[in-house]
Amino acid sequence: MYQAVRARTSWQAFVLLNRTKQGTVMNSNGLFITTDTLRSLPRDLQDALLVATLGQAARPSPASAAGILDEEDENFAQLSPAQAREFYSGCGEKTRKALEVIANSDSRQFHLADVAKAIGVEPGELRGVWGGLTRRLSTVTGDSDCYLINWERHDGEFDEEGNYVDHIGEVSELTYQSFRRLLVK
């Protein structure tokens, strides 16, 4: 037996919940929604569904939540050429490869899949690299609230099996130009 349930947001959206029914294969409640459908829903509804199913929501950056432009966001790293040089010199091999991919991009936007390919891992295996970038940024800037990459402007891409395969990230224009100056010859 299926029952339609209205979301607890200002948006009118419905999802199907499977109710336990004696004699069926299903023996617990479950939420059935495709990745494409979830991504097509308004952000507040996506967050409500994540809270309902996982007990937590995706946490937006303070800037994206407030609709602030990158140049106005005091937490979005604006690395000078000297800071970029200091940043790069303290990074490990995989983190350096990631920075080289970013610097060699056609714009301040880059593809996560390109970083994964350059390092030789799957896109979902880059957590250590992103953690290294975050720690290094905090060391160089002295600001633990600062972030190097904005992932909020674009949705992640998933294959048919639901595997995370790509995402467009971006750095600030100053940071991009500083790393280009350092790394692109």
Side-chain angles (χ1 to χ4, degrees), residues 117-137:
K117 183 178 178 183
I119 294 173
V121 299
E122 294 297 316
E125 299 172 342
L126 289 169
R127 285 189 180 103
V129 172
W130 306 137
L133 288 171
T134 301
R135 285 188 301 277
R136 187 68 187 141
L137 181 64

Side-chain angles (χ1 to χ4, degrees), residues 43 47 58-68 70 73 75-76 145-147 149-153:
R43 186 64 179 198
D47 288 343
R59 197 177 97 193
S61 70
S64 66
I68 297 173
D70 294 340
D73 181 4
N75 293 323
F76 194 34
D145 293 328
C146 199
Y147 63 98
I149 301 170
N150 182 346
W151 298 103
E152 297 293 324
R153 292 187 192 269

Side-chain angles (χ1 to χ4, degrees), residues 20-131:
T20 304
K21 183 176 175 185
Q22 190 173 16
T24 63
V25 176
M26 300 301 289
N27 62 4
S28 64
N29 291 338
L31 177 66
F32 298 89
I33 188 167
T34 66
T35 303
D36 289 337
T37 301
L38 179 63
R39 289 191 348 221
S40 72
L41 298 173
R43 186 64 179 198
D44 63 337
L45 180 54
Q46 290 178 29
D47 288 343
L49 289 171
L50 290 172
V51 168
T53 57
L54 303 174
Q56 63 185 12
R59 197 177 97 193
S61 70
S64 66
I68 297 173
L69 297 174
D70 294 340
E71 296 77 24
E72 298 171 351
D73 181 4
E74 64 186 36
N75 293 323
F76 194 34
Q78 304 283 335
L79 297 180
S80 68
Q83 287 175 309
R85 195 170 26 261
E86 178 186 353
F87 189 105
Y88 187 79
S89 69
C91 292
E93 181 182 347
K94 289 181 181 180
T95 307
R96 283 181 177 210
K97 284 265 190 218
L99 292 170
E100 290 164 7
V101 169
I102 293 168
N104 283 293
S105 295
D106 293 332
S107 71
R108 67 190 201 136
Q109 295 182 344
F110 65 95
H111 285 267
L112 175 136
D114 294 338
V115 173
K117 183 178 178 183
I119 294 173
V121 299
E122 294 297 316
E125 299 172 342
L126 289 169
R127 285 189 180 103
V129 172
W130 306 137

